[in-house]
Amino acid sequence: MKKVVLYIAMSLDGYIADKEGKVDWLKGQNGNEDMIDTYSDFIKEVDTVVMGWNTYRQIITELSPNQWVYSDLTTYVITHRQLPSTENIKFIQENPCDLVKRLKQEQGKKIWICGGAKIVQALLKEKLIDEYTISVIPTILGAGIRLFGETVKEIELKLLSTFTYNGIVELIYVCR
């Protein structure tokens, strides 16, 4: 069974985007200091990406408008829009929990939950996330798109590791 991993960054006060949906604040405390690349090791263990429409739109319009950055992976974009899928990008209208339950049954590497908050919150309520890798950015936004909403029950986690660089703290948890 495939593992489901949330790999995401958030502000110290728990937001994944500011009030306008921007993520230009995702940086360490010293702009000129080299960032440590934990993503390259992480992505080697992934073959499937799940994201919402807003995350997809942000990638293709702001973060990487000239090239699809996940071309070696199968990407599922959950949207209400009727768009033609490609070989590697599947636009679907499926409930995120149903999709993830189905994908977990397949053979392969990990499933990366890339965003957005509504998808994360739905999966959280159904306890479908196996591992949480969260990079806490040294910024307090005060408002925006919150990563975790209210949950029906508490979810107990076990800390596997921490890593710090340039004021960023990366936390890796698994479900207990």
Side-chain angles (χ1 to χ4, degrees), residues 27-36 166:
K27 55 186 176 276
Q29 62 194 11
N30 298 317
N32 57 354
E33 188 174 316
D34 288 337
M35 294 294 284
I36 304 296
N166 197 7

